[in-house]
Amino acid sequence: MSKILVIGEIADGKLNSGVAKVVAAAKQIGGEVVVALFGADVAGPADEAAKLDGVSKVLKVERAENKDILAATYAPQIVELAAGYSHVLFPGTAFGKDTAPRVSAKLGVQQISDVMVAHSATSFDRPTYAGNAIVTVEAPAAPAIVATVRLASFTAVAATGSAAVEAASTSAALPTHTRFVKLEAQKSERPDLQAANKVVSGGRALGSSDNFKVIYDFADKIGAAVGASRAAVDSGYVPNDLQVGQTGKIIAPELYFAIGISGAIQHLAGIKDARTIVAINKDAEAPIFEVADFGLVGDLFQVVPELQSKV
Amino acid sequence: MKALVSVKRVVDYNVRVQVKSDGSGVVTDGVKHSMNPFDEIAMEEAVRLREKGKITEIVAVTIGGAKNEETLRSALAFGADRAIHIKEEGEVQPLSAARAFAAVLKKEGADVFLAGKQAIDDDANQTGQMVAALLDIAQATFASKVELEAGKAVVTREVDAGLETLEVDLPAVITTDLRLNEPRYLKLPDIMKAKKKPIETVSFADLGVEKAAALKATKTAAPPKRSKGIVVKSVDELVSALKGKGLL
């Protein structure tokens, strides 16, 4: 039977909501699911993880050196912890993508990136070529399978469980070659882009950072998160953590508004799993209309305020 | 300081790839290939660091068949001083690539290994991290700003919450994100000059590296097609359609 170690992620002192989706992927593989959390004090997030349905145990790995989230210090501890597990799963976030390959290389196995479906304990679907080709891979079972989970492909498990929380210690020697300096977080009162049910994204057609207010106002009216195309980020209209696409965030909201976004391959890779896509663009030939469930051809500066007044 | 920069030949990012009807992969024959866009950013950064006097030698490295020489010539036109071609026909997965790059990095005694954060064909986002792991050196992934100082690098990284800054001791692996820089256009005189620069050819065996067990692709499929949507005529029609589906 599979024994699955899920590497938890903590952001702002809370359990990252993506962890509940990694647990869903672990349940699809089937077997015992253990969540490990790293930090200086992880009591709060550990209690949150213990409630996730399907989790049998939560391991708290508390060490002063774990205060800063660094792949270089976490990886040797994860490698030590992984002994006896058949799978080590990470969320497909910046943290997971940074850390998982470091663990995988130490274990001497190829890593599977962005698992979308687990067909069995060793067979998985993953996207390649910006999501334009889905490859089914068969991974050698030994010594372990290391993978990141594409969060947009899984629905979070319910918080109805009550797993035991245990302290775990690691003796791995930790490197000192990597030091955390600072984090400039983008503070936002809006819903988190990767967890939001509704997302409103703007593109190059907004024309300026000031004009992006149209997007923010509409998003606030319907309680949506704000996203952006690469063109809008590169033009400096919005910070880069709002970027949706192959090289930004991959999202799967119930409702996605693409406003003034042409729909380049790179952007579509980030929104293919949105339940309903609405496109507003003045160019009727824009590729975004090929994937939109509802399209409206028109000037966004007229259409969006009107839309806002009518919802 | 010496920089080793890895570059990969991939299907050009503007190409709409076609999945083969027998599910064995995607069509790559006769399709335009070019240097992975993130690797262009890595090359550009190496050249800019040399222009600032931080780096004195740039060595480009690639893994692949004969056609990869084109990619190395592009790297040389960017400004690499010389190139190393690890010749290997067929697919090389990230851990195997990382073993070969780690061997070259060690042999060259380079201070910094620059790589793209991911290749746009396999979208793996693993190789740089694996090189760092194999050599037990620091990594700074998804870099949007790099400052080299004596013996260390200060790197700003694009993370989910915003921008994070790390200080890492050299040698270190740095992988590039999109906003690190805007790669220059290659000029004809530089392309001509690149033809004369040396390319050394080595094999996995020469490097004493064994390939790791591969993930076996059993099927490649096109993603499920979205059903054709409708174009509405007015905001009112859009609002009622969305309300009808319970979305607003």
Side-chain angles (χ1 to χ4, degrees):
Chain A
M1 195 180 83
S2 297
K3 211 174 158 204
I4 304 164
L5 185 65
V6 169
I7 305 303
E9 177 174 351
I10 298 171
D12 259 349
K14 290 206 179 72
L15 189 71
N16 182 311
S17 61
V19 177
K21 297 180 178 181
V22 183
V23 171
K27 283 178 76 176
Q28 198 175 68
I29 294 169
E32 189 192 347
V33 182
V34 176
V35 176
L37 282 165
F38 295 80
D41 171 11
V42 299
D47 287 341
E48 290 179 75
K51 292 198 184 84
L52 297 178
D53 181 43
V55 173
S56 69
K57 191 163 70 179
V58 176
L59 299 176
K60 291 191 294 181
V61 189
E62 294 173 323
R63 266 175 96 154
E65 300 96 319
N66 288 345
K67 182 173 143 294
D68 298 323
I69 302 168
L70 297 171
T73 47
Y74 280 25
Q77 301 177 71
I78 295 168
V79 168
E80 187 183 326
L81 223 53
Y85 287 90
S86 58
H87 297 73
V88 185
L89 303 184
F90 293 77
T93 57
F95 160 77
K97 289 174 179 181
D98 190 30
T99 313
R102 202 155 174 127
V103 171
S104 203
K106 280 296 183 191
L107 293 173
V109 297
Q110 304 282 1
Q111 183 214 301
I112 306 166
S113 295
D114 300 318
V115 166
M116 305 168 75
V117 178
H119 295 292
S120 71
T122 56
S123 173
F124 307 90
D125 280 358
R126 63 170 304 262
T128 59
Y129 291 93
N132 288 303
I134 311 300
V135 182
T136 307
V137 295
E138 180 72 25
I145 290 171
V146 179
T148 57
V149 172
R150 186 175 182 268
L151 301 182
S153 299
F154 293 90
T155 306
V157 296
T160 52
S162 58
V165 177
E166 283 176 22
S169 61
T170 56
S171 58
L174 303 183
T176 56
H177 51 50
T178 307
R179 296 169 293 275
F180 173 84
V181 179
K182 63 177 173 177
L183 174 67
E184 291 158 84
Q186 302 288 342
K187 286 280 169 222
S188 173
E189 300 300 312
R190 295 186 180 86
D192 177 64
L193 187 53
Q194 271 166 310
N197 277 325
K198 296 173 194 166
V199 173
V200 178
S201 277
R204 195 199 303 270
L206 268 299
S208 76
S209 167
D210 289 343
N211 287 347
F212 233 82
K213 188 169 184 303
V214 174
I215 301 292
Y216 287 115
D217 288 350
F218 175 50
D220 290 345
K221 178 78 182 278
I222 63 168
V226 170
S229 69
R230 181 183 161 189
V233 172
D234 282 349
S235 304
Y237 304 163
V238 291
N240 55 34
D241 53 329
L242 296 192
Q243 186 182 321
V244 172
Q246 181 187 18
T247 54
K249 286 172 183 154
I250 313 268
I251 58 173
E254 290 293 312
L255 179 58
Y256 184 74
F257 284 90
I259 300 173
I261 292 176
S262 65
I265 297 171
Q266 156 1 87
H267 186 75
L268 299 183
I271 61 165
K272 280 202 174 95
D273 293 331
R275 192 67 58 81
T276 299
I277 297 175
V278 178
I280 297 170
N281 205 300
K282 66 179 174 193
D283 175 11
E285 303 298 318
I288 191 75
F289 287 116
E290 288 169 31
V291 300
D293 300 280
F294 299 102
L296 180 54
V297 180
D299 180 355
L300 74 92
F301 294 107
Q302 283 163 15
V303 169
V304 178
E306 186 187 345
L307 185 58
Q308 192 182 321
S309 69
K310 287 178 174 166
V311 294
Chain B
M1 248 188 252
K2 190 198 262 191
L4 185 67
V5 185
S6 69
V7 293
K8 185 177 184 185
R9 178 179 183 268
V10 298
V11 170
D12 188 86
Y13 72 99
N14 278 314
V15 172
R16 217 170 250 261
V17 299
Q18 299 294 326
V19 171
K20 290 182 190 166
S21 54
D22 64 358
S24 64
V26 303
V27 179
T28 55
D29 289 344
V31 171
K32 187 187 175 200
H33 283 65
S34 49
M35 187 190 291
N36 179 42
F38 291 102
D39 300 347
E40 290 189 343
I41 294 170
M43 269 311 309
E44 175 68 31
E45 193 64 16
V47 173
R48 290 188 189 189
L49 288 166
R50 187 176 55 197
E51 286 163 357
K52 284 185 199 158
K54 304 286 184 186
I55 281 176
T56 47
E57 188 185 12
I58 301 170
V59 182
V61 58
T62 197
I63 304 176
K67 285 180 176 164
N68 289 60
E69 192 178 320
E70 284 167 33
T71 314
L72 285 179
R73 291 289 168 204
S74 300
L76 292 165
F78 258 106
D81 299 290
R82 58 191 174 87
I84 298 170
H85 185 170
I86 304 167
K87 269 228 168 111
E88 182 70 28
E89 297 293 339
E91 190 198 16
V92 177
Q93 294 185 357
L95 181 56
S96 304
R99 285 180 180 174
F101 289 142
V104 173
L105 185 64
K106 212 167 159 187
K107 188 167 141 234
E108 290 285 332
D111 303 279
V112 56
F113 179 75
L114 278 163
K117 79 163 174 181
Q118 76 192 66
I120 59 163
D121 51 0
D122 64 11
D123 280 333
N125 193 333
Q126 299 173 14
T127 307
Q129 294 91 312
M130 288 178 158
V131 170
L134 294 173
L135 297 173
D136 285 316
I137 60 176
Q139 70 188 43
T141 52
F142 326 141
S144 61
K145 191 177 172 198
V146 176
E147 288 166 286
L148 285 186
E149 294 164 27
K152 64 177 189 179
V154 178
V155 180
T156 304
R157 310 175 54 228
E158 297 198 7
V159 296
D160 295 335
L163 295 172
E164 180 188 77
T165 306
L166 295 182
E167 183 186 85
V168 296
D169 292 337
L170 300 179
V173 171
I174 298 172
T175 73
T176 61
D177 217 321
L178 273 179
R179 271 161 292 279
L180 181 58
N181 61 47
E182 182 98 13
R184 65 196 62 192
Y185 284 102
L186 303 181
K187 295 195 195 85
L188 190 60
D190 294 328
I191 295 169
M192 299 309 288
K193 249 190 276 170
K195 290 186 178 167
K196 297 201 184 79
K197 291 183 181 175
I199 296 179
E200 177 192 351
T201 301
V202 296
S203 66
F204 270 68
D206 295 337
L207 294 168
V209 165
E210 249 184 72
K211 285 169 91 173
L215 301 175
K216 196 169 146 240
T218 55
K219 192 181 85 179
T220 301
K225 273 213 162 54
R226 295 186 73 97
S227 52
K228 186 101 183 98
I230 54 167
V231 173
V232 295
K233 295 271 180 287
S234 67
V235 169
D236 289 322
E237 204 183 323
L238 177 60
V239 170
S240 65
L242 294 176
K243 283 190 172 155
K245 290 186 84 180
L247 290 165
L248 282 177

